[in-house]
Amino acid sequence: MIINADDYGLNRTKSRNIILSFDEKVIDRCTCIVNTDFSDECINFLPEKYKGKVGLHISLISGHPLSEKMMNCTQLVKDGTFKNKNIRYFWFRLHLRKKVKEAVVDEINKQIDCFLNYGFILKHFDSHGNVHLYPCLYKIFANILAERGFVSCRGTTINERNFVKRLLHKKINNYYSKKISRLERYSDPFRKITNDELLEIMVHPEIKEEKIYERDSNILLSSIALKKSEAKK
């Protein structure tokens, strides 16, 4: 079981919350966005001792494109910034137009290049909004990341109750499993955890009254870390 904090580099506050979470030993890993106004600054103040615990958080729905092809892709970019509605654009499509697909491929590679140029060595990835698990994108992501030597990624949730979505999730996970050696299914913090599951608990650390909470569930991160330690017994 891995406790992963998303969105390092999104802004200063989120990044400092993640560093504090590392300091307090309530997370195991984080994933970093490399295409925001704050990415460079936040990566530079990341303590060296945590650099080996940072994976790549690819973003196609916020921040600035790093590739020229994507910068010129008007379907996804406006005024040099990814459109907020991109998540809906991707969700309602099974396939991408040729020019959009080419821009996506180029952008993913440019963000990988940027991540590696910062000196990060952990070959793990996920994505902002989990778009790497969307029907029109998962094969693109899996093929590129496998070619670039990434060995682990976030898979689909284990909590899906809808039958059709469960079938889709199985298809996506099976494809990733053929390309990536370590697929981590993700779960919410409320679920009963057993030690034989390769799980990721996705968290977004937030500081309230000098304590670290998971933003969406409002659970203390220390209690999630305790759940992890109990599952090992």
Side-chain angles (χ1 to χ4, degrees):
M1 174 180 164
I2 301 290
I3 302 176
N4 185 91
D6 281 15
D7 297 344
Y8 191 88
L10 187 63
N11 58 46
R12 296 186 186 98
T13 299
K14 290 181 183 296
S15 299
R16 293 190 184 281
N17 288 350
I18 288 173
I19 291 175
L20 182 58
S21 299
F22 273 130
D23 291 341
E24 295 296 318
K25 297 180 172 57
V26 292
I27 62 172
D28 302 302
R29 183 184 65 206
C30 75
T31 45
C32 177
I33 298 179
V34 297
N35 68 324
T36 73
D37 291 333
F38 302 96
S39 294
D40 190 65
E41 175 188 345
C42 294
I43 291 169
N44 286 331
F45 69 61
L46 175 72
E48 190 68 28
K49 62 183 177 180
Y50 297 138
K51 270 203 166 183
K53 300 180 179 181
V54 179
L56 175 59
H57 194 65
I58 296 175
S59 179
L60 301 176
I61 62 174
S62 67
H64 310 290
L66 300 185
S67 78
E68 186 175 347
K69 283 185 179 180
M70 183 58 80
M71 187 64 78
N72 295 324
C73 182
T74 56
Q75 291 92 336
L76 302 177
V77 176
K78 183 178 181 181
D79 298 327
T81 303
F82 282 116
K83 297 177 182 178
N84 292 332
K85 63 181 180 180
N86 282 357
I87 198 163
R88 289 177 57 83
Y89 178 92
F90 292 129
W91 179 248
F92 289 108
R93 283 167 173 77
L94 293 176
H95 304 283
L96 298 178
R97 294 179 181 177
K98 182 180 178 181
K99 288 187 177 180
V100 175
K101 182 178 179 180
E102 289 175 350
V104 167
V105 169
D106 200 38
E107 180 65 22
I108 292 172
N109 274 302
K110 286 293 190 295
Q111 291 192 28
I112 293 171
D113 290 340
C114 185
F115 174 76
L116 297 176
N117 287 339
Y118 276 117
F120 293 119
I121 59 173
L122 184 64
K123 294 295 187 72
H124 171 84
F125 76 94
D126 52 37
S127 65
H128 207 38
N130 288 324
V131 296
H132 71 289
L133 300 173
Y134 282 16
C136 68
L137 289 172
Y138 74 92
K139 289 184 179 180
I140 298 173
F141 271 91
N143 292 337
I144 294 174
L145 275 297
E147 289 172 1
R148 299 297 300 269
F150 281 71
V151 297
S152 67
C153 74
R154 175 184 297 154
T156 62
T157 178
I158 61 173
N159 303 319
E160 182 56 60
R161 295 181 179 180
N162 181 280
F163 177 73
V164 175
K165 287 185 178 180
R166 283 205 309 272
L167 291 178
L168 177 60
H169 286 184
K170 183 177 180 180
K171 179 180 180 180
I172 292 171
N173 285 334
N174 286 344
Y175 192 86
Y176 267 109
S177 294
K178 294 176 182 177
K179 299 288 183 176
I180 306 292
S181 59
R182 178 184 170 98
L183 184 70
E184 300 171 0
R185 305 292 300 279
Y186 80 91
S187 175
D188 63 66
F190 297 103
R191 187 180 184 276
K192 183 179 179 181
I193 302 300
T194 60
N195 194 36
D196 61 348
E197 292 175 307
L198 183 56
L199 290 179
E200 176 194 302
I201 302 295
M202 176 178 62
V203 298
H204 301 84
E206 186 174 72
I207 309 299
K208 299 178 185 178
E209 299 177 350
E210 300 184 354
K211 294 181 180 180
I212 310 173
Y213 287 84
E214 203 294 303
R215 181 196 66 196
D216 299 325
S217 62
N218 204 34
I219 297 176
L220 280 168
L221 279 191
S222 57
S223 67
I224 300 174
L226 178 62
K227 179 183 289 190
K228 174 188 172 181
S229 64
E230 290 174 345
K232 291 182 177 180
K233 296 177 181 178

